[in-house]
Amino acid sequence: MAHYDTLSLTVDDDRIAQLTLDRPEALNALNSAMMAEFAAALVEATQSGARALILTGKGRAFAAGADIAEMRDRTFGSMSDANHLALWERLADLPIPTIGAINGFALGGGCEIAMMCDILIAGESASFGLPEITLGIIPGIGGTQRLTRIVGKAQAMDLILTGRRIDADEARRLGLISRVVVDGEVVEQAQVIARQIAGSSARAVRAAKECVLRADQSSLSEGLLFERRWFHSLFAFDDQTEGMTAFLEKRPARFADA
Ligand code: CAA
C-alpha cells in the first residue's frame, strides 16, 4: 500500500479494505490534500482486488466537514475553476460495496461522504448534520440531493435549513443509517458485514448494488427492466449453479472468487 499523510489504507487477507480518515487533531476535516489522497486510495483499494471497503475516521469524528480554515479565504474563481470538492464523488462510483463505520461526528461534508456509502452503521454517540447554513453556505458534496432522496423533503428541509444535529438513533429512525452499535465496536461490526458480503458471489453483489443504486436514477419501469436483465445475466455464470446446488446439497456455497 502507498503511504498517505491524511488517511490510511489497509487490505486484509479476506480482501476487506479499510480506509481511515486520519487528521484527528482537526476532527478529520476534509481538506484538499485529503481529497486527492482519498481519490488515489480508492483506486488503490479497487486495484488490490478488495471485495468491500470500510470507511471510518480516526479519533472522535468520522469527519466534521470540509476544512473551514482552508475554505475561508477561497473565492468563487478558485472554487469553481478547480471544481473544488468534485473528487469526493469518486466514492459513489466505486464498484465494490462500501460500508461507512461512523464513529463520532459526521457533519457537513463528513455526513455527505457518509451518505455515498452503500451501508451505514454508527456508534451510539455518533451525530449527523449538515450545518453549512450556519457558515453562510450550503452543502456542496451532494447533501441537498442525497439527504432529500434518503429521508424525504420534510426532514431534509428541517435538517438543512436549521443545520441541527441529530444523534444515531434519530438517524436510524429517519433511514439515514441502518444500524446503531455499541461505541467502540463500529469498525468491528463493519468488518462482520464486510466479511459476510465478501463471502458471496462478487458478480451477484455487484449486480445487487447497481440495481439498488439505479432505483434513484430511473423510473420504476426502467429500474425493473434493469433488474430483470441483471437477474437473467447472472444465470450465465457458475456462481448461480454453485449457489443453488449448495442449497440443495445443504452445504455452504463455495463461490469461485470468494
Ligand atoms: N474544519 C476545520 N477545522 C475543524 C473543523 C472543520 N470542519 N471541525 C473541527 N475542526 C477543528 C477545530 O477548529 C479544532 O481545532 P483547534 O483544536 O486547532 O482549535 C478541532 O478541530 C477540535 O474541534 P472543536 O474544538 O470545535 O471540538 P468540539 O468538540 O468543541 O466541537 C464540533 C466539535 C461540534 C464538530 C465542532 O468542531 C464543529 O462544529 N465543527 C464544524 C462543523 C461544520 O460546520 N462542518 C461543516 C463544514 S462546511 C462543509 O462541510 C461544506 C461542504 O458541504 C463540503
Side-chain angles (χ1 to χ4, degrees), residues 85-167:
L85 300 178
L87 286 181
W88 294 109
E89 202 62 34
R90 299 268 173 95
L91 177 61
D93 297 332
L94 219 62
I96 58 173
T98 52
I99 303 163
I102 310 302
N103 49 302
F105 297 108
L107 301 176
C111 184
E112 295 176 276
I113 60 172
M115 287 190 287
M116 290 180 206
C117 292
D118 299 319
I119 297 177
L120 263 188
I121 67 169
E124 292 156 322
S125 61
S127 63
F128 298 80
L130 293 174
E132 285 90 342
I133 203 83
T134 66
L135 299 168
I137 56 170
I138 64 169
I141 319 181
T144 62
Q145 303 306 299
R146 287 201 173 88
L147 186 67
T148 308
R149 281 170 166 77
I150 295 167
V151 304
K153 177 188 163 189
Q155 297 291 350
M157 284 290 191
D158 184 335
L159 290 170
I160 291 170
L161 297 185
T162 66
R164 78 180 173 92
R165 290 210 296 263
I166 57 173
D167 63 18

Side-chain angles (χ1 to χ4, degrees), residues 44 70 108 149 174 178 189 223:
E44 189 176 8
E70 185 188 68
R149 281 170 166 77
L174 291 179
S178 58
Q189 290 301 322

